[in-house]
Amino acid sequence: MSVSGNGGSREAIKHTAVIGTVLQMWEKLAWDIDVFEEIQRAYPKEMQPLAYAAINVCIAASSLTDWVLITKCPSRNKGEWALIRDQLALQVPGLTMCRAIANTSKHYEFDEGLWHGGQVALGWEEGDEDIPSTFVLYHDDGQSTKMAFNSFQELKWAWWNTLVAEGLTEGQKPNPEWHQNKMQAIFGEVTKNLPPHTLHPLPQGFQTTKTVKEET
């Protein structure tokens, strides 16, 4: 594999079309999390799509780990890779969970990895007049239970901060191209969406500021 200086594989894009760097893989992770959140909001009564989207988030997070490994240590030294994995697990809460879920979903075999006793659960939450009833996905590590909606946001930003700390990207608030396009599709360009101004003639006898000043 040929690894470029900016933390990317020149060959990978032959299969991914748009993903050739660690940063671009993070952008895919952010996309998968956004899809999960959209399903949670727009399809509250759908159980399977919510679970499918959550699995995709975990696969993306696990893949990002592999991209960082090969970027930081192209020689694939097992000892160095083990040290990097341990460091990433400390820097990115939820990463061991994601790798366990990703491995189980990919290999047709339960593999808890380092997520000992962890499990995923779907629950039905009754709503009220402000919030509709909805399915909610939970992650339980045996010590605490978190809503995936919240833990995935933590995962996204922990990964970003880690990539910055490792010198694999830079900046504080990334805004992927797909997100910019989404926001523009929703809100458009402000100047194009402003309603046309309707001008009315001034009331008879109205004095402008200039006229008032001249009389005083």
Side-chain angles (χ1 to χ4, degrees), residues 6 12 25 34 42 45 56 61 65 69 89 94 101 104 118 127 131 150 153 158 161 165 180 187 192 200 202 207:
N6 64 346
M25 180 55 76
D34 188 76
K45 296 182 180 180
N56 289 341
T65 301
L69 286 172
I101 293 171
T104 294
I131 302 175
N150 297 328
Q153 277 293 319
N161 292 332
Q180 296 178 44
F187 299 107
K192 291 184 178 180
H200 300 281
L202 294 174
Q207 292 182 319

Side-chain angles (χ1 to χ4, degrees), residues 115-186:
W115 196 38
H116 302 299
Q119 61 181 336
V120 178
L122 271 167
W124 177 256
E125 297 291 335
E126 293 293 341
D128 53 34
E129 59 183 11
D130 298 317
I131 302 175
S133 300
T134 181
F135 279 107
V136 178
L137 194 78
Y138 294 97
H139 294 142
D140 184 351
D141 63 4
Q143 297 180 338
S144 63
T145 302
K146 289 186 176 182
M147 290 176 57
F149 193 94
N150 297 328
S151 59
F152 282 159
Q153 277 293 319
E154 295 173 3
L155 174 75
K156 178 175 69 174
W157 295 117
W159 251 126
W160 177 260
N161 292 332
T162 297
L163 296 182
V164 171
E166 295 296 328
L168 298 175
T169 190
E170 59 184 11
Q172 297 297 321
K173 290 288 184 180
N175 192 15
E177 182 180 347
W178 65 260
H179 189 261
Q180 296 178 44
N181 293 338
K182 177 182 177 180
M183 292 298 100
Q184 185 169 337
I186 294 173

Side-chain angles (χ1 to χ4, degrees), residues 41-104:
R41 286 189 289 258
Y43 304 98
K45 296 182 180 180
E46 291 289 347
M47 179 173 60
Q48 289 173 305
L50 191 67
Y52 297 158
I55 292 171
N56 289 341
V57 170
C58 292
I59 291 175
S62 181
S63 297
L64 186 51
T65 301
D66 296 333
W67 281 61
V68 171
L69 286 172
I70 195 64
T71 301
K72 298 287 289 184
C73 182
S75 66
R76 300 174 183 250
N77 180 279
K78 291 183 178 180
E80 290 187 44
W81 273 27
L83 291 175
I84 295 172
R85 281 198 189 96
D86 290 344
Q87 182 63 30
L88 290 175
L90 293 174
Q91 293 172 298
V92 184
L95 186 55
T96 53
M97 172 196 74
C98 287
R99 289 190 70 82
I101 293 171
N103 286 334
T104 294

